Amino acid sequence: MPASPSTARAINDRLALRLLQREGPLTAGQLKKLTGLSRPSVADLVERLAEAGLIGVVGESGEQRRGPNARLYGIVADRAHLAGLDVRTEGVAVVVADLLGAVLAEASVPIADETDTVPAVERAVALVEHTAKEAGVERLHTVGVGAPGLIDPATGELRDSTGLPEWHRRLAAALQERFAARVVVENETNLAALAEQREGAARDRDTFVLLWLGHGIGAAVVLDGVLRRGASGGTGEIGFLPVPGTGGMPSATGCEGGFHSLAGAAAIVELAREYGVSASVSAHEPYAAALVREAVARVSGAARGATATPVSPSAPAPALTPGSTPGPRSAPVAPAPAAASVSASAQGVGGRVDSSAGSEGYPRSSPRPFGGGGDQGASGFLDVLADRVALGVASVIAVLDPGCVVLSGEVGRAGGETLAARVRERLGRMTPLPTEVRAGTLGGGAVLRGALLMARDGAQDELFAPPER
């Protein structure tokens, strides 16, 4: 049955708006060419959208640069404003943007573990309020929130999870009450997958798995272009995957003994200690990511040295390049320790310095790690880390056959192609299913970017919808 005139107009309007979102400002002639509509239909469409305040003239195009045919039409960016939040166990990061997703302001704030629920919620809400004010925004239309834990598929709310602060669950309601805005909550790793698919390493993939390697472990599954959440919202809780080599089994209340114990931040720090790898401490990324970044720099430097003039062992190590935005389950602006560089053993888990460490950074009760540091130790560290990552990824491939795995998060980005190539080589021996392994390009900032993209999608869906009659 053919569409009614009103339905056809709504479809054409939405098509034009999506084209303007994707292509940027267009003339009426370009809209005619891209939509396949007649000139009168395009003229009516432009008039309707302009009257609704959704598009406006943003410039002129063509040689003459005058007259109706030269007018460039674009989406009115300040028609609505958005916020994206990356909520972690120890803090919040926020970004405020316009309807097109252009960032206007961003900020972050730490929230200590011992902070009570009400003050923690108020601090997070105040951060959003302050950032919006800095951006000159009076009203937020939609707020996207990325948080660790399970999202109830029926309600869209963050479920009560053991080990996560209570203020996480209270935050969405507080944001809605304070700003009278639409608030959408999604699992952090799922948002990282959204960002990597739209703007990162998976732009050409409709089916892939994203493995988040940061302070904790998580996975997101995208099949045929659709994010799969599972019956209870728990798809991708790969930290609970039972694997050999952990000396235990995960439980219903904790992932210790699962894949998390092999490839989480604490396990990476301990592995680095065993191989004598150390790194400069940064407040902008988990220490595990700094260790991986340093190991990659050493291995890459050794490879370059094989074909170039050798560098003196006493030369300073290359400077680290930390990610710009912290990722999930890590403190956003935690102060760095006073020492500029400490070994992995002295640093310990989560950035705490172990007072029992000796002057060389190794615990007095432990022998010097295998390899004695240097390039050999860095290479061995990356090899074993790749073994561990491949073990978890192989299990996912056997069940889903995604064809592509993106190593994301701060550790995934720090490892880059060096770690991805090692994992790829191991998977080629472990599974008959051909699988690309790609390094994520957005690092810890993927969650925040994904939250903003989710907010933009929600706002546009509402604003671009045809008016109810």
Side-chain angles (χ1 to χ4, degrees):
M1 186 175 70
S4 66
S6 61
T7 300
R9 285 194 295 270
I11 292 173
N12 293 339
D13 289 356
R14 198 174 185 87
L15 172 60
L17 288 165
R18 292 303 180 195
L19 285 170
L20 290 168
Q21 167 73 54
R22 187 185 71 194
E23 304 291 338
L26 299 169
T27 65
Q30 290 169 327
L31 281 170
K32 175 181 178 296
K33 182 178 180 180
L34 291 171
T35 61
L37 298 171
S38 67
R39 190 179 301 278
S41 294
V42 170
D44 290 342
L45 174 154
V46 168
E47 184 178 357
R48 284 195 304 272
L49 295 178
E51 288 180 353
L54 293 173
I55 69 171
V57 177
V58 296
E60 293 186 333
S61 178
E63 294 181 3
Q64 302 300 322
R65 292 188 179 275
R66 64 175 182 268
N69 293 334
R71 292 173 184 164
L72 278 170
Y73 296 95
I75 294 174
V76 179
D78 60 1
R79 178 69 170 77
H81 292 97
L82 324 166
L85 276 73
D86 178 5
V87 179
R88 293 154 247 161
T89 54
E90 297 180 46
V92 177
V94 62
V95 59
V96 173
D98 62 25
L99 184 58
L100 291 176
V103 174
L104 304 176
E106 53 189 318
S108 62
V109 66
I111 298 177
D113 288 342
E114 63 272 13
T115 307
D116 290 337
T117 298
V118 173
V121 169
E122 180 55 35
R123 188 167 191 182
V125 171
L127 177 69
V128 178
E129 194 169 46
H130 174 75
T131 308
K133 185 176 180 180
E134 287 290 311
V137 172
E138 295 182 359
R139 180 181 180 274
L140 292 172
H141 181 282
T142 304
V143 179
V145 180
L150 304 182
I151 308 299
D152 190 323
T155 65
E157 297 178 354
L158 188 64
R159 289 172 51 184
D160 188 9
S161 302
T162 302
L164 294 178
E166 174 63 21
W167 66 267
H168 281 198
R169 296 184 64 242
R170 303 281 186 88
L171 181 57
L175 289 168
Q176 195 165 28
E177 180 179 353
R178 178 72 60 90
F179 300 105
R182 179 186 182 191
V183 179
V184 190
V185 184
E186 181 58 271
N187 173 268
E188 56 188 0
T189 309
N190 288 344
L191 290 180
L194 171 64
E196 290 285 3
Q197 187 179 35
R198 297 276 189 89
E199 302 178 351
R203 279 175 291 184
D204 61 336
R205 300 291 309 191
D206 287 331
T207 296
F208 70 100
V209 168
L210 178 138
L211 178 64
W212 183 273
L213 299 169
H215 181 66
I217 294 288
V221 177
V222 178
L223 301 178
D224 300 322
V226 179
L227 180 68
R228 306 293 179 173
R229 296 176 176 83
S232 63
T235 295
E237 289 295 322
I238 196 172
F240 287 86
L241 179 72
V243 291
T246 64
M249 291 286 286
S251 69
T253 58
C255 55
E256 293 303 321
F259 184 51
H260 173 85
S261 295
L262 277 186
I268 292 174
V269 169
E270 175 59 22
L271 182 65
R273 183 197 67 79
E274 295 173 9
Y275 281 86
V277 176
S278 62
S280 298
V281 178
S282 169
H284 301 286
E285 66 179 350
Y287 186 56
L291 290 166
V292 172
R293 192 183 302 281
E294 176 65 17
V296 168
R298 291 189 196 177
V299 170
S300 299
R304 288 192 299 269
T307 56
T309 303
V311 178
S312 169
S314 61
L320 298 176
T321 308
S324 60
T325 306
R329 304 179 182 94
S330 64
V333 288
S341 176
V342 295
S343 74
S345 62
Q347 176 71 7
V349 178
R352 296 185 296 271
V353 176
D354 183 357
S355 60
S356 67
S359 59
E360 297 182 27
Y362 309 114
R364 296 188 178 92
S365 59
S366 302
R368 189 176 180 85
F370 169 79
D375 300 335
Q376 181 182 2
S379 183
F381 165 62
L382 291 174
D383 283 339
V384 177
L385 178 58
D387 289 341
R388 295 181 176 190
V389 171
L391 190 62
V393 171
S395 300
V396 174
I397 292 172
V399 176
L400 297 177
D401 186 19
C404 178
V405 174
V406 176
L407 304 183
S408 187
E410 296 93 346
V411 171
R413 185 177 185 183
E417 177 58 24
T418 300
L419 179 61
R422 281 168 158 79
V423 174
R424 187 184 308 124
E425 186 273 333
R426 284 153 177 78
L427 290 175
R429 292 186 273 111
M430 295 173 69
T431 172
L433 305 178
T435 306
E436 291 184 70
V437 180
R438 302 178 180 179
T441 60
L442 302 179
V447 176
L448 194 59
R449 188 60 189 170
L452 184 59
L453 289 170
M454 178 176 67
R456 190 186 74 181
D457 289 349
Q460 291 185 355
D461 284 345
E462 181 178 319
L463 293 171
F464 294 177
E468 296 183 4
R469 298 186 183 277

